[in-house]
Amino acid sequence: MNTGLFITLEGPDGSGKSTQISYLREYFEEKGIDCVFTREPGGTHIGEELRRIILDKDNREMCDMAEALLYAASRAQHVEELIKPALKSGKVVVCDRFIDSSIAYQGYGRQLGDSVRVINEYAVGECMPDITFLMKLPPAVGKSRINTEEQDRLEQEKLDFHNKVYGGYLEIAKHYSERFICVDASRDKEAIRMDLIEAVEKALQDRGILCL
């Protein structure tokens, strides 16, 4: 049984995940809690190589199923090499995106349907998040926060695609309401930080990692 805690952050591009992850890093450092921060795609040497291929703007010919399988391959390596060992040793793992991103982006956005969930259930096994924060923000707002020159292959997709992804996220959050915490990401970043810390502290106490 894992004695650690697995936290993921999800949401549209430009929804402020990176800012909140930096706040969480500060929080865990202040509390002296051993925490691993990672991201998807990526997190391992193999995963980072796959990330480069997936997000490269020059790889426009990549078909939708190839994209989905590459994400799943990166995730399988990530879980086996980094996430599972960290959780088994009692660490907290904070991951920028995980399985729900694939279901939202490829399942709903690319309209590949339930095949994406099935593929990724093989990739993660029983390694699922304890808490998933969904940063809720209209895609048009999120896209406007990212400079055009800095956008990767998926970020460059049209607004219609990102709206489908966002709708997918909302459906996933309803289906897995026991682990999802929806956060209004249009608010002040400090107010968002306080909400995340409150939820994290409760989970840490329930798991026996933090005593207040």
Side-chain angles (χ1 to χ4, degrees):
M1 180 181 293
N2 293 335
T3 55
L5 183 70
F6 188 14
I7 302 168
T8 58
L9 283 84
E10 298 282 356
D13 298 310
S15 58
K17 291 184 290 83
S18 297
T19 298
Q20 295 305 319
I21 287 171
S22 68
Y23 286 147
L24 287 175
R25 187 186 297 274
E26 291 173 2
Y27 169 80
F28 284 113
E29 288 176 353
E30 289 171 2
K31 295 293 183 182
I33 296 172
D34 199 354
C35 187
V36 174
F37 286 83
T38 189
R39 68 177 182 176
E40 290 208 342
T44 66
H45 173 72
I46 291 171
E48 292 295 332
E49 289 295 301
L50 291 171
R51 179 187 181 92
R52 180 182 58 78
I53 294 168
I54 294 167
L55 301 181
D56 191 336
K57 290 180 280 190
D58 292 333
N59 291 336
R60 300 183 185 279
E61 71 276 16
M62 186 182 297
C63 75
D64 296 344
M65 184 53 75
E67 179 182 281
L69 290 167
L70 286 171
Y71 271 111
S74 174
R75 184 164 297 121
Q77 185 68 28
H78 196 194
V79 167
E80 188 66 23
E81 182 180 337
L82 181 69
I83 297 174
K84 283 202 306 189
L87 293 173
K88 285 181 179 178
S89 67
K91 296 178 181 178
V92 176
V93 176
V94 176
C95 190
D96 183 352
R97 301 195 180 284
F98 195 60
I99 186 172
D100 302 300
S101 279
S102 283
I103 296 172
Y105 277 80
Q106 284 75 51
Y108 285 86
R110 301 297 192 202
Q111 299 184 298
L112 293 177
D114 203 44
S115 63
V116 178
R117 178 189 60 79
V118 174
I119 292 165
N120 280 277
E121 284 182 352
Y122 281 108
V124 304
E126 296 181 357
C127 186
M128 289 294 290
D130 297 297
I131 301 173
T132 299
F133 291 109
L134 175 59
M135 307 291 283
K136 294 177 63 178
L137 187 76
V141 177
K143 277 181 69 66
S144 70
R145 295 177 175 179
I146 307 171
N147 293 331
T148 305
E149 314 84 65
E150 297 175 357
Q151 291 180 2
D152 60 39
R153 190 174 64 84
L154 268 75
E155 289 169 344
Q156 287 185 338
E157 289 286 348
K158 294 180 180 178
L159 185 58
D160 179 62
F161 169 79
H162 289 284
N163 284 333
K164 289 175 183 174
V165 171
Y166 189 55
Y169 268 130
L170 299 180
E171 288 298 319
I172 298 165
K174 288 179 185 176
H175 192 71
Y176 298 103
S177 58
E178 72 284 353
R179 67 174 168 88
F180 264 83
I181 297 175
C182 294
V183 179
D184 180 358
S186 66
R187 297 174 301 150
D188 177 78
K189 60 185 179 182
E190 179 63 21
I192 298 170
R193 184 189 72 83
M194 291 176 66
D195 284 352
L196 266 62
I197 295 299
E198 181 180 357
V200 166
E201 284 194 335
K202 181 180 184 305
L204 291 171
Q205 291 175 65
D206 290 346
R207 195 57 61 90
I209 299 172
L210 177 68
C211 297
L212 294 180

